[in-house]
Amino acid sequence: MATLTVPASVPAVADDCEQLRKAFEGWGTNEALIISILGHRDAAQRRAIRRHYADTYGQELLRSITDEISGDFERAVILWTLDPAERDAVLANEGATKWQPGSPVLVEIACARGSAQLFAVRQAYHDRFKRSLEEDVAAHVTGDFRKLLVPLVSAYRYEGPEVNTRLAHSEAKILQDKIEHKAYADDEIIRILTTRSKPQLLATFNNYNDSFGHPINKDLKADPKDEFLKTLRAVIRCFTCPDRYFEKVVRLAIAGNGTDENSLTRIITTRAEVDLKLIKEVYQKRNSVPLEKAVAGDTSGDYEGMLLALLGKE
């Protein structure tokens, strides 16, 4: 499902580092060389490059990158070069400390990652920021959003396939009852969404659809302007159909008069080694335009080149 393309014969790590050093030196930066190397290496290879580069040149690769390039291109290269857990930690820190109602970043990290992945993000957060993700979310997020997001980012869900059908039926009824009474931040809704395994939640949502004749998210659209309802819908979509969720984020980032570069960069850099191929297929089917063409039409220069490389464009 990944779009990342890695050469059949990858140069030695020392050779990659030497080429990157050359790209940074001299009067002008060789941005195309940076893209050709970092844009075509997987997480383990990028990790080895960072380690060898620091050992050889006495400077962190990320520092060399920020010294030489800037803007959206810099952000895309930096986020991509980070380890996945470290990248998510950086994004989660931004999502927490710059939080606004309806911001989706914390939901994406909490709900579209596996339990071990989310645990690794929290460990990376400790190492990088010398605080816990949970305490930053609690410090910066307010009201019902804090009530939902703190346990979401703290979760370590069971990942086995087992499903309790009786429980799915009873909890679907609980959800319907609370939603019907507009108790959207009720403790029971929070408990179900933040503790149940993903297979159990899928069974519950399917039971909701079967029992009440429509998907749960339809009942969470009572007020389209309500940001908490929007957040609840994002939680459920990240569990049930992450490919369609991320397609919508990308589509909205590209649509309209201006481009939301932060969202576009976030989705492409976090999904290129996961399921970006599937997201591309959903985008093509919904919009009748290849995602690469849409990105090329809405971005430019080296930033465009980096995104297209991660999208798998030859």
Side-chain angles (χ1 to χ4, degrees):
M1 296 296 185
T3 53
L4 173 67
T5 59
V6 177
S9 178
V10 178
V13 173
D15 293 339
D16 274 347
C17 291
E18 183 180 352
Q19 290 301 307
L20 285 169
R21 192 67 175 179
K22 289 179 180 177
F24 301 140
E25 291 179 334
W27 290 103
T29 305
N30 189 337
E31 291 88 352
L33 185 55
I34 296 172
I35 295 170
S36 72
I37 297 172
L38 294 178
H40 295 280
R41 301 293 184 270
D42 64 26
Q45 292 163 343
R46 298 192 306 276
R47 190 180 310 121
I49 289 171
R50 284 180 65 187
R51 189 182 304 117
H52 188 88
Y53 188 96
D55 291 344
T56 303
Y57 302 107
Q59 184 179 43
E60 237 287 343
L61 175 61
L62 300 181
R63 172 56 67 86
S64 293
I65 291 170
T66 57
D67 285 347
E68 294 298 327
I69 62 178
S70 60
D72 294 321
F73 177 48
E74 175 196 354
R75 181 169 173 82
V77 174
I78 290 291
L79 283 177
W80 175 247
T81 304
L82 290 169
D83 264 3
E86 191 178 6
R87 179 197 305 133
D88 277 348
V90 169
L91 292 170
N93 177 259
E94 294 175 357
T97 59
K98 300 176 183 178
W99 179 82
Q100 294 291 328
S103 172
V105 178
L106 294 171
V107 168
E108 292 170 8
I109 292 170
C111 302
R113 313 296 192 260
S115 295
Q117 291 171 318
L118 181 56
F119 186 73
V121 173
R122 295 205 297 270
Q123 288 180 309
Y125 201 100
H126 291 179
D127 294 341
R128 190 176 183 94
F129 300 107
K130 310 309 176 188
R131 301 184 301 277
S132 74
L133 172 57
E134 299 90 325
E135 66 181 301
D136 274 354
V137 173
H140 296 281
V141 180
T142 59
D144 290 339
F145 293 95
R146 177 165 59 193
K147 185 177 178 181
L148 171 66
L149 290 172
V150 170
L152 264 186
V153 301
S154 307
Y156 193 86
R157 299 173 192 272
Y158 175 63
E159 293 207 317
E162 293 83 1
V163 168
N164 184 326
T165 54
R166 290 181 63 184
L167 182 65
H169 179 77
S170 65
E171 292 194 333
K173 182 66 178 73
I174 291 171
L175 291 172
Q176 192 274 337
D177 180 66
K178 300 302 181 183
I179 292 170
E180 184 179 29
H181 290 90
K182 298 186 177 181
Y184 303 120
D186 187 272
D187 288 349
E188 287 292 88
I189 291 182
I190 304 297
R191 175 187 64 79
I192 292 167
L193 292 181
T194 61
T195 65
R196 295 302 184 200
S197 71
K198 291 183 183 181
Q200 185 66 41
L201 285 173
L202 292 179
T204 300
F205 300 147
N206 287 336
N207 198 288
Y208 191 106
N209 190 36
D210 294 342
S211 298
F212 307 110
H214 50 264
I216 185 173
N217 267 3
K218 185 173 182 180
D219 284 341
L220 291 172
K221 290 182 178 179
D223 181 358
K225 295 181 180 179
D226 188 313
E227 294 292 353
F228 186 72
L229 291 185
K230 179 182 175 183
T231 299
L232 287 177
R233 294 196 303 272
V235 168
I236 291 166
R237 284 176 63 81
C238 280
F239 286 138
T240 59
C241 51
D243 53 332
R244 287 175 15 222
Y245 167 84
F246 288 121
E247 183 278 330
K248 184 176 182 180
V249 176
V250 169
R251 172 165 34 92
L252 294 179
I254 294 172
N257 294 325
T259 306
D260 180 356
E261 289 88 358
N262 275 349
S263 293
L264 187 61
T265 300
R266 182 180 78 251
I267 302 308
I268 290 179
T269 55
T270 58
R271 310 312 291 183
E273 288 184 279
V274 184
D275 58 358
L276 191 52
K277 185 175 181 181
L278 186 57
I279 295 166
K280 282 171 55 176
E281 291 171 358
V282 175
Y283 187 94
Q284 167 94 43
K285 184 175 182 179
R286 193 188 190 285
N287 303 283
S288 302
V289 176
L291 182 53
E292 293 96 324
K293 185 175 181 180
V295 168
D298 233 50
T299 59
S300 61
D302 299 312
Y303 176 56
E304 173 193 348
M306 184 65 185
L307 294 188
L308 291 180
L310 298 182
L311 281 163
K313 192 175 188 302
E314 296 298 332

